[in-house]
Amino acid sequence: MLSVVIPTHESERALVRTLACLVPGATAGLVQEVILADAGSSDETAAIGDVAGCRFMPVPGPLGARLSAAAASARASWLMFLRPGTVLDSGWLRATEDFLAGQAEEGRRAATFRPASSGRRPMLQEALSLALAALFRPLDPDRGLIVHKSLYARLGGHRADVGDAEADLLRRIGASRVTVLRAEASSIT
């Protein structure tokens, strides 16, 4: 169901934690493949990907070109873009399955994970914080993105000619078409 695309460059340490959190999705059959769109790493990024069963795809050029090439080669109909170092909490699998189950095959909506909370807060305070973040915080590539390949293609995918290709794609999708899932993503560098 999901092809996970991770843009890498000298990402060996950050990549391990990201791949580890994807294991439950692979064993459940949700994660069909993981593609590492690499910018020419000379560290152990390729070896780590190989051990984890990832497809290592060296692609020269800017980030947008690497992400677009990896998305074009993906086998699944849904794409999940994660940065190396993004760690999803244990609820990501259920939240993602629920989101995908509620989508038509063509996927008119995209999804992202909510930001990691800063600790235990009362439920009302947490709900208010999440609502304010959804309304006023711009979409953040560090929280990942799940998008159907057809929506991705209609939007022109990641552009190679912009400075921040991930943020540019999120802007073109638009906050009104993005569901914030009930699972958290934190960024470990």
Side-chain angles (χ1 to χ4, degrees):
M1 293 192 75
L2 279 178
S3 288
V4 179
V5 177
I6 304 172
T8 56
H9 184 252
E10 311 297 352
S11 305
E12 64 184 16
R13 286 198 169 129
L15 185 59
V16 170
R17 305 234 5 223
T18 302
L19 293 175
C21 75
L22 295 175
V23 170
T27 57
L30 180 64
V31 174
Q32 185 175 343
E33 65 181 337
V34 177
I35 305 167
L36 304 180
D38 193 72
S41 295
S42 60
D43 65 356
E44 296 300 312
T45 298
I48 289 167
D50 184 52
V51 167
C54 301
R55 181 159 41 111
F56 188 76
M57 190 173 165
V59 181
L63 176 64
R66 290 188 287 132
L67 291 168
S68 183
S73 74
R75 293 186 299 238
S77 56
W78 285 91
L79 304 169
M80 177 190 278
F81 295 96
L82 292 175
R83 289 180 170 175
T86 299
V87 177
L88 306 176
D89 75 12
S90 61
W92 81 267
L93 179 60
R94 175 67 181 243
T96 302
E97 289 173 331
D98 290 348
F99 170 74
L100 295 179
Q103 297 301 303
E105 182 55 34
E106 69 274 4
R108 295 175 191 214
R109 295 192 59 80
T112 188
F113 298 95
R114 69 183 189 182
S117 61
S118 57
R120 291 282 180 219
R121 295 188 279 191
M123 190 181 301
L124 182 58
Q125 184 181 6
E126 181 69 17
L128 180 60
S129 174
L130 287 172
L132 290 172
L135 290 173
F136 300 109
R137 184 182 294 172
L139 297 172
D140 183 358
D142 279 337
R143 294 182 1 220
L145 173 66
I146 301 170
V147 61
H148 195 276
K149 279 179 88 170
S150 64
L151 177 58
Y152 182 81
R154 283 194 307 272
L155 294 170
H158 287 92
R159 296 177 179 161
D161 60 346
V162 296
D164 188 344
E166 294 169 302
D168 173 67
L169 177 62
L170 285 168
R171 276 191 301 276
R172 287 183 285 126
I173 291 171
S176 64
R177 285 195 286 189
V178 176
T179 299
V180 178
L181 302 179
R182 295 184 58 107
E184 295 181 354
S186 57
S187 185
I188 310 296
T189 55

